[in-house]
Amino acid sequence: MIAPVTEADLPELLPLMRGYCDFYEVDPSDEALLAMSRELIADPAKEGVQLIARDGSGHAVGFATIFWTWTTLSASRLAVMNDLFVSADARGGGVADALIAACAERAREHSATSLDWQTAHDNHRAQKVYDRVGAQRDDRWLDYSLDV
């Protein structure tokens, strides 16, 4: 089952977000992670939405985060799947595919013309998932970041 994150989900969401951050070797505070989630809960139409995946027993096993933006290149709204994470014990069971499908549905509902995301060059397992769901790899762009 996949549903939008609510305040009641935060205690189970936090360890999943921490696992995601650990994978990418970053360490934002729990307070900062929860504050971000609360901003999304408060205004999903403007900010974006987090989705939580639960197994058949109701345990949280994954999450995805979508942020809304625009793209001048098609003069349309864009959904950015900034986060996608499935707990190690739930991997290989279709949770990632289901989260991507749910994100795509949310993007369509929000009138986005595209759902875009990134992954690390060495995250080959995720790349296999993305290839399997029919996503198109785009090698035209290089990512840059500027700390401000």
Side-chain angles (χ1 to χ4, degrees):
M1 179 181 93
I2 297 174
V5 169
T6 67
E7 185 75 27
D9 295 313
L10 295 181
E12 290 181 281
L13 176 65
L14 183 59
L16 294 170
M17 289 192 299
R18 179 61 51 214
Y20 179 75
C21 291
D22 290 348
F23 179 83
Y24 283 108
E25 300 177 351
V26 296
D27 192 27
S29 71
D30 288 354
E31 294 78 20
L33 290 169
L34 292 170
M36 180 190 76
S37 294
R38 287 185 175 112
E39 288 290 328
L40 295 168
I41 291 167
D43 197 353
K46 179 182 176 195
E47 299 291 344
V49 65
Q50 279 185 309
L51 301 175
I52 192 164
R54 296 184 177 281
D55 64 15
S57 300
H59 298 103
V61 294
F63 81 100
T65 308
I66 310 167
F67 296 114
W68 310 124
T69 190
W70 292 87
T71 176
T72 303
L73 298 179
S74 64
S76 62
R77 186 175 301 278
L78 176 68
V80 177
M81 186 174 64
N82 202 64
D83 313 319
L84 176 68
F85 181 79
V86 176
S87 61
D89 58 333
R91 292 181 188 149
V95 176
D97 302 56
L99 279 165
I100 293 168
C103 288
E105 180 59 30
R106 293 290 172 150
R108 282 188 290 276
E109 290 170 0
H110 202 70
S111 300
T113 59
S114 181
L115 175 66
D116 291 1
W117 64 89
Q118 304 170 308
T119 194
H121 291 284
D122 62 352
N123 193 348
H124 301 291
R125 183 175 186 145
Q127 291 170 31
K128 287 179 183 177
V129 171
Y130 305 151
D131 291 341
R132 184 176 63 242
V133 300
Q136 300 298 313
R137 190 178 303 235
D138 188 343
D139 294 325
R140 295 178 296 165
W141 309 105
L142 293 174
D143 291 336
Y144 287 85
S145 178
L146 179 66
D147 290 340
V148 294

